[in-house]
Amino acid sequence: MAILHSHLQKNVHTYDSLFLHQGHKGRKAFQEQMGLVVQKLTEVFSVSDKPFNGQSPQQVKYEVEFMMRFSNGGYSLEEALDDIEGPILKNSLHISHRKSIAHLHCPPLISGIAAELIIGALNQSMDSWDQSTAATYVEKELVRQLAEKAELPDTADGTFTSGGTQSNYMGLLLARDYFCHRNWNHLVQEKGLPPGFEKLRILCSEEAHFTVQKSAAQLGLGKQAVVTINTDDRHRMRIEDVEDTLTELKAKELLPFAIVATCGTTDYGSIDPLYELKVLARQHALWMHVDAAFGGGLLFSHNHRENVNGLSLADSITLDFHKLFYQPISCGLFLVSDRKNLRYLSYHADYLNPVEDEEEGISNLVNKSVQTTKRFDALKVLLTFKTVGTSLLGKMIDDTIEVAREAAKQLDERAEFLVENPVPELNTVVFRFQPQTTEKDTDELNRLIQQELLYQGKAAISKTSINGRTGLKFTLLNPRTNLQDIKEVINDVEEIGREIAMGGYRFDKCERDS
Ligand SMILES: *Cc1c(COP(=O)(O)O)cnc(C)c1O
């Protein structure tokens, strides 16, 4: 017994330097180790001068796996940081580089990174008030302020989410359950899908995010429930097409229950006509969900705010802070105009949100979320609003739109480029390189340009599909990306493109694919 006790005693002291706690050892270890992390990261940033170091997937995989063979623990953080420096830190995409302009994937603000440290250290869980005693009110208040910013009615409410995927899923879940409850007095939450559910239909743009289909599938309606609407030359849903589709669906005795408008499509940043769609949604008693994962950033814009005025008409809204609000992943928001409808999500677990709590006015946010344990992501937004401020945030976004417009103009002036959105509504530019003469198929050519730029570490741009053909895309989220950067990237695209087109390009493909 005495031996066991002394063992335990010794262990307890070992554990002291593994956790951040009130004691001296914990505080000291925390301070030292955070210092090491900051030092290592600043070192890596000081030498990584490309968006990506150009290693092949095989090489990265090999280095990562080799490093992980020794991960049985027991050595210092300093050594572990040295271990991961090459395989992870240097082999990562450097998203903060000015020529990292591929996806809706932002450089994180330092305020957001700092908040991540606090989030990890406090490790609050947003499901019940007794696990997030102050954090609960931060989230609630930010939800209120953002709903107000979107000019939703006083009945609005919402929740932080893991991102646009989860927010879109929630919007369609509420829309489905609201429809079944109101029209058939049927609670899906209790009884599952009602008879006739195969007739339910969701309308969205052909350019809407794929998570509309994915949500429909997960909600038991199947992808068949999603009817896509053609877009106009500015890539927005055609209202006449929505009208015709609604008439057609009714004639077939199908049941449209929701319309998803996109406020900032992933490719073109186009904004569907929210006012016109709301008129139709009212006429046909449809739930209007607005996917503003991308375009929601315009809420703080100084020059383009009016483009998102229609958000106030939504029944539910998706917003992402890990895109135009420059937060580290993940950080999303779901808003609903009438908080009553959140009841389709709520579930009483005696240990988390007993009815007595509600009677005493205690908020347990688990009621509003599809998650249980949930991160305190709201802190990132709070620290950013406090330090950077919403005015500068809005200006940053405005500046990136200017840069995107200038990039589109520069591309347009060159004979071999075809620009799909000459006046970008947000900060993406979609284009194709199509020289007069080429030995390669132009789809293949555009695909190779994107790959070559990445492997050479010149720029990370993305490829996308334009009416079934392969095109290229700049996503200019980074407000530090300047016109000189853009010019250089365009020159590189052109130069590499011409060489590949003439068949004179030497690919180090064997090395890459081996
Ligand atoms: C990014 C995006 C999504 C998906 O959001 P995640 O945060 O990646 O889950 C949905 N809709 C649109 C329009 C987007 O741009």
Side-chain angles (χ1 to χ4, degrees), residues 104 162-166 168 209 211 262-266 291-294 318 320 322-323:
L104 280 172
S162 61
T165 304
Q166 192 181 89
N168 282 347
H209 198 261
T211 48
T262 310
C263 179
T265 56
T266 308
D291 179 357
F294 182 15
T318 292
D320 259 359
H322 57 217
K323 288 178 176 164

Side-chain angles (χ1 to χ4, degrees), residues 288-304:
M288 183 158 102
H289 176 72
V290 183
D291 179 357
F294 182 15
L298 294 187
L299 283 171
F300 293 96
S301 160
H302 303 280
N303 303 334
H304 309 278

Side-chain angles (χ1 to χ4, degrees), residues 412-452:
D412 216 21
E413 283 165 1
R414 302 197 189 198
E416 293 168 322
F417 288 100
L418 182 76
V419 185
E420 281 294 309
N421 58 336
V423 186
E425 280 188 80
L426 281 164
N427 38 29
T428 55
V429 188
V430 180
F431 61 97
R432 256 166 83 77
F433 180 66
Q434 36 187 48
Q436 292 278 312
T437 51
T438 168
E439 291 182 8
K440 281 236 181 295
D441 167 66
T442 48
D443 285 346
E444 173 75 354
L445 173 60
N446 279 273
R447 200 177 65 76
L448 289 171
I449 293 172
Q450 186 265 343
Q451 267 185 14
E452 228 14 68

